[in-house]
Amino acid sequence: VSDLSGKGNIEYKSAEMGIRLGGNGYDSRRIVQEIKRLEDQGYQFEAAEASLELLIKKITGQFEEPFTLKSFRVSIEKNGKGPSISHATIKISVGKEEEITAAEGDGPVNALDNALRKALTKFFPEIEEMRLVDFKVRVIDGDRGTAAKVRVQIESRDGSDIWSTVGVSKNIIEASWEALEDSVQFKLLKRDKVEGSAADSPSSGTLRRVLNDNLRDQTLFSNHIKE
């Protein structure tokens, strides 16, 4: 069990991420229970804080998924001694709109990544800013051979940040999808944070009005003193 699987640690980590927990410890207990359940399946969140933040927000109802996967298909074509070619087709929905795209890539995960980007860029152009910079696969229960579970960790970055996500499955493509989906969702969550901060900050027009009001009050006060 990881260091995260404790109520106090979760409350500290949530505060560090700017996530509010409520219910007199009810939220933190639910989060701890879910983390323990996922860790039993092979997940590790210490090195995948983006996945952890998404998990906490989803459990506490503070995250609305920006897109929904309807289906995807990945295939690999190999002819003789030539290089293999990977193809991916994906269907996603954003609100009431659906998008189906296909792409090729240097391997099945790259093809899936390319297809997802192609589908989402229409709705979220900022997706083009992010890049996958590291991809790690670890076998969890090696005694099961090729039927073993694998844990995939993906590291992504954009112009300002770097973040890591995790996925687990007996199917390496499915585990990769989980980590990839979290990575893109976290990028869009970062966008929402910036927009939320801008909305909470006073606009330039508001600042001008405040300054003008202060100047007017000071003028009235000065005139009153002179009288």
Side-chain angles (χ1 to χ4, degrees):
V1 178
S2 74
D3 292 337
L4 288 171
S5 297
K7 183 170 169 288
N9 289 335
I10 287 299
E11 290 173 351
Y12 174 82
K13 203 68 184 175
S14 297
E16 190 177 61
M17 293 173 174
I19 303 173
R20 294 182 179 180
L21 302 182
N24 294 322
Y26 174 70
D27 281 346
S28 54
R29 285 193 295 271
R30 290 170 58 213
I31 294 165
V32 167
Q33 290 172 359
E34 181 63 9
I35 288 176
K36 287 182 177 179
R37 185 186 71 81
L38 291 172
E39 285 182 339
D40 287 343
Q41 296 180 17
Y43 288 83
Q44 287 185 354
F45 294 99
E46 292 93 336
E49 290 201 353
S51 287
L52 176 65
E53 182 169 345
L54 288 169
L55 177 66
I56 294 174
K57 282 183 171 288
K58 289 175 182 178
I59 291 174
T60 57
Q62 300 179 54
F63 180 75
E64 183 177 349
E65 297 194 9
F67 62 91
T68 302
L69 172 70
K70 295 297 185 179
S71 64
F72 71 73
R73 178 179 297 175
V74 177
S75 63
I76 302 173
E77 182 179 344
K78 174 76 172 175
N79 293 318
K81 295 183 179 180
S84 61
I85 302 174
S86 297
H87 308 266
T89 303
I90 191 168
K91 180 179 181 180
I92 57 103
S93 64
V94 178
K96 295 182 179 180
E97 292 191 56
E98 290 189 348
E99 190 77 9
I100 302 175
T101 59
E104 295 183 351
D106 298 324
V109 178
N110 182 237
L112 187 57
D113 179 31
N114 290 340
L116 178 61
R117 289 169 181 273
K118 191 175 177 181
L120 289 178
T121 301
K122 168 185 174 182
F123 305 97
F124 311 108
E126 57 270 36
I127 292 296
E128 294 184 348
E129 300 171 358
M130 64 176 287
R131 293 288 180 270
L132 272 58
V133 294
D134 199 6
F135 179 84
K136 299 176 182 177
V137 180
R138 181 172 181 178
V139 175
I140 297 174
D141 45 357
D143 57 324
R144 300 197 60 189
T146 54
K149 274 187 180 180
V150 295
R151 178 169 56 245
V152 170
Q153 183 176 324
I154 287 178
E155 193 172 87
S156 307
R157 73 182 310 158
D158 56 17
S160 58
D161 295 304
I162 187 165
W163 61 95
S164 295
T165 53
V166 66
V168 172
S169 175
K170 292 180 180 179
N171 185 317
I172 189 172
I173 303 300
E174 185 175 15
S176 300
W177 165 257
E178 286 186 7
L180 179 62
E181 182 182 34
D182 271 9
S183 179
V184 174
Q185 287 188 344
F186 188 77
K187 168 63 179 176
L188 298 177
L189 175 64
K190 275 163 34 76
R191 174 207 60 176
D192 293 341
K193 284 181 179 179
V194 171
E195 291 179 354
S197 298
D200 292 338
S201 300
S203 65
S204 58
T206 301
L207 288 173
R208 281 196 299 270
R209 286 194 298 273
V210 170
L211 290 172
N212 288 336
D213 289 344
N214 288 340
L215 181 60
R216 185 190 64 226
D217 292 343
Q218 289 175 7
T219 302
L220 291 173
F221 179 75
S222 298
N223 291 338
H224 177 72
I225 294 297
K226 290 178 182 178
E227 293 174 358

